[in-house]
Amino acid sequence: MKILGIETSCDETAASVVEDGTKLLSNIIASQIDIHAQYGGVVPEIAARSHIEVMLPVVEKALTEAKTNWDNIDAIAVTQGPGLVGSLLIGVLTASTLAHLKNKPLIPINHVEAHVYANFLNEPAPLFPLLALIVSGGHTQLALFQDHENYELLGQTQDDAAGEAFDKVAKVIGLGYPGGPSVARAAEQGSDTAFVYTKPKTANPLDFSFSGLKTGVLRETQKLVGGDYTMLSSQIPALLSDNQRADIAASFQKTVVTILCDHLLAAYKQYRPRSVVIAGGVAANQELRRVLKLRLPVEITYAPISLCTDNAAMIASCAFYQRDRGVDLRKSPIQPMPVLSM
Ligand code: KG4
Ligand code: ZN
């Protein structure tokens, strides 16, 4: 069964063809990073407009690269949410219209759930019960999957997501967007013991909280550049040396990695799953992978970096396992499904 996946929840316009949930036939991603980098973050209106411009060529390219055509596509899957409303709308409208025109069932997919399915594009597939740490720019969750579509949320962030904390700290110390890769790069040159940031406590020990850590980094950095706590964060980068930037990046990254590892290890000990996967943009972090390998008594499954960050292959893979939820639009008037925002 070949599924065309479409993903536009944030700033990547993506389409992919996946066979039987596991075989990646094409994976096209048009990134808007260069456009948003000049603003230091994603500008929702610009993201939506950029999706419109490249959506159809990206779909065409996904079919061509998969050496297939519409006759051989069995269903269309699309990210229904969560995400930026304007961005989601472009993908959902495109997918709904194509499903009508090409007579295909339409499968709505939850973006956060789909991140886990990047790990099903690897052979062998991870076994159930499966413990997943989903760490992206919008979400930080620990989930225990007994089977496809049957999962329990063990913990989640009470405020910022892990990726969001990377992005915000990067901005404070004057590193580029997206923050995750630029903080990780700077951290390679720094000392991870230069600063000690407080780890948050949550009522549920498997929940997360990153906003205090982000503020902690801001305060420590203000102290470092003169102790003026009313200083605007936009004034800080010019006062930092490259060494200080690297030390802050390394110490911050170490704190986040420790928090994520502590939580994953605690959940592993409590639930003893048959496999453990990490997913989402922050799962691309090499330090996280290195420390998890040292600390967890089982092998961790993670996808190649291009499948950790947003892509449509994970949408198409997830849809294969949720194909019974496909909606037949043939008899209904063209009307997109509602989008689900953050
Ligand atoms: O999953 P994703 O592509 O989009 C969302 O669903 O949010 O995740 C994007 C997030 C961004 O916050 C980005 O800074 C972070 O993932 N990220 C990383 C790395 N690569 C991307 N964080 C830490 N280390 C990385 N190497
Ligand atoms: Zn994502």
Side-chain angles (χ1 to χ4, degrees):
M1 180 179 195
K2 286 194 182 108
I3 298 182
L4 170 76
I6 292 178
E7 151 66 34
T8 63
S9 68
C10 191
D11 60 342
E12 261 97 23
T13 319
S16 162
V17 180
V18 172
E19 190 166 358
D20 297 337
T22 53
K23 200 165 164 218
L24 185 61
L25 301 184
S26 65
N27 185 25
I28 308 300
I29 303 172
S31 170
Q32 303 173 8
I33 282 180
D34 293 346
I35 303 172
H36 299 289
Q38 57 188 303
Y39 304 102
V42 177
V43 183
E45 291 77 7
I46 296 178
R49 236 174 298 142
S50 305
H51 285 308
I52 297 175
E53 284 166 18
V54 300
M55 186 74 260
L56 285 175
V58 164
V59 168
E60 285 300 328
K61 207 167 167 197
L63 292 174
T64 309
E65 201 145 292
K67 297 190 177 49
T68 192
N69 54 39
W70 284 109
D71 292 342
N72 297 313
I73 294 293
D74 298 291
I76 300 174
V78 64
T79 302
Q80 187 182 21
L84 301 172
V85 176
S87 292
L88 286 166
L89 202 57
I90 307 307
V92 164
L93 269 170
T94 305
S96 309
T97 310
L98 288 172
H100 264 285
L101 289 174
K102 308 292 181 186
N103 279 339
K104 310 288 177 189
L106 183 64
I107 310 173
I109 293 297
N110 177 297
H111 179 88
V112 186
E113 242 172 85
H115 265 300
V116 172
Y117 283 83
N119 295 289
F120 282 80
L121 293 158
N122 268 338
E123 298 275 12
L127 300 171
F128 293 108
L130 176 161
L131 176 63
L133 173 69
I134 309 161
V135 269
S136 70
H139 295 82
T140 302
Q141 299 184 341
L142 266 170
L144 184 68
F145 284 70
Q146 296 297 347
D147 203 343
H148 300 290
E149 287 198 84
N150 174 11
Y151 65 93
E152 175 193 354
L153 207 54
L154 306 178
Q156 61 184 328
T157 184
Q158 301 299 297
D159 39 58
D160 291 353
E164 194 179 352
F166 269 97
D167 294 335
K168 286 178 175 168
V169 164
K171 208 165 178 177
V172 165
I173 61 176
L175 296 172
Y177 170 84
S182 56
V183 167
R185 227 174 296 121
E188 284 170 20
Q189 313 301 324
S191 157
D192 64 8
T193 52
F195 300 95
V196 178
Y197 301 122
T198 317
K199 287 193 233 61
K201 281 208 166 53
T202 47
N204 167 5
L206 296 182
D207 275 342
F208 301 87
S209 165
F210 290 104
S211 79
L213 172 61
K214 175 195 70 189
T215 310
V217 173
L218 174 63
R219 294 286 172 260
E220 281 287 319
T221 309
Q222 285 169 326
K223 191 159 108 190
L224 190 68
V225 297
D228 175 4
Y229 296 103
T230 61
M231 178 184 278
L232 295 176
S233 56
S234 57
Q235 296 174 308
I236 294 175
L239 303 171
L240 288 173
S241 69
D242 283 347
N243 283 344
Q244 288 172 324
R245 241 186 285 281
D247 284 349
I248 296 167
S251 305
F252 162 76
Q253 178 176 259
K254 183 192 179 181
T255 312
V256 175
V257 165
T258 306
I259 294 167
L260 296 178
C261 289
D262 286 350
H263 282 59
L264 194 53
L265 187 58
Y268 175 79
K269 285 183 178 159
Q270 196 171 335
Y271 295 96
R272 296 280 163 191
R274 289 177 75 196
S275 59
V276 181
V277 312
I278 54 171
V282 182
N285 188 279
Q286 299 297 334
E287 183 60 10
L288 175 65
R289 294 176 176 197
R290 188 186 70 77
V291 177
L292 279 176
K293 193 172 164 44
L294 289 177
R295 290 192 53 198
L296 253 86
V298 284
E299 207 169 315
I300 304 282
T301 304
Y302 46 76
I305 287 174
S306 60
L307 294 174
C308 287
T309 46
D310 288 350
N311 66 86
M314 67 187 198
I315 306 299
S317 171
C318 182
F320 174 76
Y321 299 100
Q322 300 186 0
R323 56 195 179 278
D324 293 346
R325 291 174 42 198
V327 184
D328 190 338
L329 296 177
R330 269 168 279 190
K331 292 180 196 74
S332 60
I334 292 191
Q335 199 179 39
M337 63 183 104
V339 298
L340 307 171
S341 63
M342 296 286 253

